[in-house]
Amino acid sequence: MRHHSVGRLARGATLVASLSLLVVALVAAARGPLPAAYPDVPAHPLEGRFLELVDAERKREGRAALRHSEVLALAARHHAAEMVALGYFDHESPTPANETLAQRVANAGGATVRLGENLAQVRSVRDDLAERTLRGWLESSAHRDNLLGEEWTHVGHGLAEHPDGRVFVVQVFAGDPNPLLRVELANGVQLRLAFERSVADLVVLVDEALAPTTRDGRELTLRLPQGDQAVSVMTGHELGGGRVAVIHALVIERDAAEPGVAPGRP
């Protein structure tokens, strides 16, 4: 599901919103986070102010605060910088490797299921730029829905300044329906996955075959065959079109020097 809207901010600023429910299966390296294709980009001084304003508004509306994600911020910074460099303003990039929001988050090292994005371009750099941008988003129903979405758990912001005085602002949301807290591989065969919430509705595939698991509250345990495997943790509930959502994906690589495994970053 994807929803776009275009609105107007005061004093010549334009904005675009996108709300997406994505089925994403991104591979996480077993010995660490997803490798990031994007190089690091320094944070803009106003990123922290955006987070403060967003959480204040969410609190007023009875929503949970969002956690800053450096992965989402990196995706947002690169998208903002690319829009300035290539002269476009859209959720879809003309660069194939960066075309979709899901691709950009993957390039930043993230593996999440639900993603959303708000965009804005503001005509001048002023002390109240964050306040003006947020006010404009809240005056647009699509942007407001994104900003106050109950499904989101993390957010990241990116800003890039154009030589003509415009500032491109990107706000990326992500929701992890059941965060993977810990991954352990014992004796090279016993895989234990610890989650934030109950594992009652989760199923596990190993190399695309349903794997028998032992469930204990918030933990899943399974025995792996020898060799490297692709392990996918999926929701047991169907999404639209008969699809199920892969909420976590791991590649289990045996390595005598590093026998453990770790989940991808939020």
Side-chain angles (χ1 to χ4, degrees), residues 178 193 195-200 214-220:
N178 198 350
L193 307 175
F195 294 85
E196 186 173 289
R197 292 186 281 278
S198 169
V199 299
T214 300
R215 300 163 188 266
D216 182 12
R218 300 177 184 178
E219 292 191 356
L220 283 173

Side-chain angles (χ1 to χ4, degrees), residues 2 14 16 38 75-101 104 117 119-121 160 162 164 166-170:
R2 194 169 196 176
T14 57
V16 177
Y38 287 153
R77 292 168 197 155
H78 274 271
H79 191 45
E82 187 187 77
M83 286 192 291
V84 168
L86 300 184
Y88 74 95
F89 182 61
D90 202 287
H91 293 286
E92 294 185 359
S93 165
T95 305
N98 304 326
E99 183 177 3
T100 68
L101 174 57
R104 295 190 292 273
E117 183 177 68
L119 305 180
Q121 52 176 319
H162 194 282
D164 67 7
R166 287 178 294 164
V167 180
F168 287 68
V169 184
V170 179

Side-chain angles (χ1 to χ4, degrees), residues 105-231:
V105 172
N107 287 338
T112 50
V113 176
R114 298 182 179 92
L115 298 170
E117 183 177 68
N118 283 341
L119 305 180
Q121 52 176 319
V122 186
R123 273 288 169 186
S124 62
V125 181
R126 289 173 27 184
D127 292 341
D128 65 347
L129 183 146
E131 286 79 2
R132 292 165 57 216
T133 304
L134 192 80
R135 187 163 58 249
W137 281 334
L138 291 172
E139 290 172 355
S140 161
S141 60
H143 297 84
R144 181 183 177 84
D145 288 347
N146 251 0
L147 200 145
L148 299 177
E150 295 187 67
E151 66 269 39
W152 308 134
T153 55
H154 295 78
V155 68
H157 294 87
L159 293 84
E161 299 176 15
H162 194 282
D164 67 7
R166 287 178 294 164
V167 180
F168 287 68
V169 184
V170 179
Q171 183 180 57
V172 178
F173 302 97
D176 190 339
N178 198 350
L180 181 56
L181 304 179
R182 189 176 67 258
V183 183
E184 298 174 353
L185 183 62
N187 302 319
V189 294
Q190 193 83 0
L191 182 65
R192 181 178 293 109
L193 307 175
F195 294 85
E196 186 173 289
R197 292 186 281 278
S198 169
V199 299
D201 68 339
L202 300 183
V203 295
V204 179
L205 302 183
V206 176
D207 291 337
E208 300 184 358
L210 187 65
T213 61
T214 300
R215 300 163 188 266
D216 182 12
R218 300 177 184 178
E219 292 191 356
L220 283 173
T221 304
L222 62 149
R223 188 175 181 83
L224 297 175
Q226 294 298 318
D228 296 346
Q229 284 89 33
V231 178

Side-chain angles (χ1 to χ4, degrees), residues 221-251:
T221 304
L222 62 149
R223 188 175 181 83
L224 297 175
Q226 294 298 318
D228 296 346
Q229 284 89 33
V231 178
S232 301
V233 182
M234 310 175 75
T235 62
H237 301 296
E238 289 191 350
L239 300 176
R243 300 170 297 176
V244 294
V246 177
I247 65 170
H248 297 285
L250 301 170
V251 174

